[in-house]
Amino acid sequence: LPAQMLALSGLRVKSGGSGLEYRLISLWPIYEKNRSTTWFEQSGLEVVTANPSKPFTGVDQKDGRRYFTAIYADTAVSPSCVSCHNSHPLSPKKNYKLNDVMGGVVISFPLSDNH
């Protein structure tokens, strides 16, 4: 599944130690680990859900470090996305349609301490 591939590759990239991270989050996550973890992520999800054509970007703080973070709308690009989410027993939302915003892809990397 595309979501699983993105999640697994994101874990691999994160473990590389570069500080680059990406993951899927949602206002309606099937699993708690895919819920927003910061005010920035929550706000970004709300913005890209309302206007999926434009990413939500800015500087966020995690563990005392500054990160450039971008959140892009994650849309239901195939019927399999829709049917999986609509039929999953843990899914809090069961009325997705093709091209609906299902959540967001969060991409972040640390900023230099000099900026």
Side-chain angles (χ1 to χ4, degrees), residues 29-81:
I30 290 175
Y31 300 106
E32 280 297 310
K33 67 182 180 181
N34 294 342
R35 185 170 299 287
S36 59
T37 59
T38 66
W39 168 88
F40 185 91
E41 289 179 355
Q42 181 70 24
S43 298
L45 279 174
E46 292 168 4
V47 169
V48 300
T49 298
N51 184 7
S53 65
K54 184 178 177 197
F56 181 83
T57 63
V59 176
D60 196 13
Q61 290 247 167
K62 287 191 286 190
D63 302 322
R65 196 156 186 205
R66 295 170 7 128
Y67 287 78
F68 175 80
T69 302
I71 302 173
Y72 294 84
D74 178 37
T75 58
V77 295
S78 76
S80 64
C81 300

Side-chain angles (χ1 to χ4, degrees), residues 1-6 24 52 72-86 96-105:
L1 294 173
Q4 290 174 322
M5 191 239 12
L6 192 136
L24 289 170
Y72 294 84
D74 178 37
T75 58
V77 295
S78 76
S80 64
C81 300
V82 172
S83 63
C84 182
H85 278 258
N86 286 345
Y96 287 109
K97 297 182 296 298
L98 202 55
N99 300 311
D100 280 353
V101 175
M102 302 180 95
V105 178

Side-chain angles (χ1 to χ4, degrees), residues 8-21:
L8 292 173
S9 64
L11 289 173
R12 164 93 25 122
V13 166
K14 182 178 181 178
S15 72
S18 68
L20 175 64
E21 294 183 29

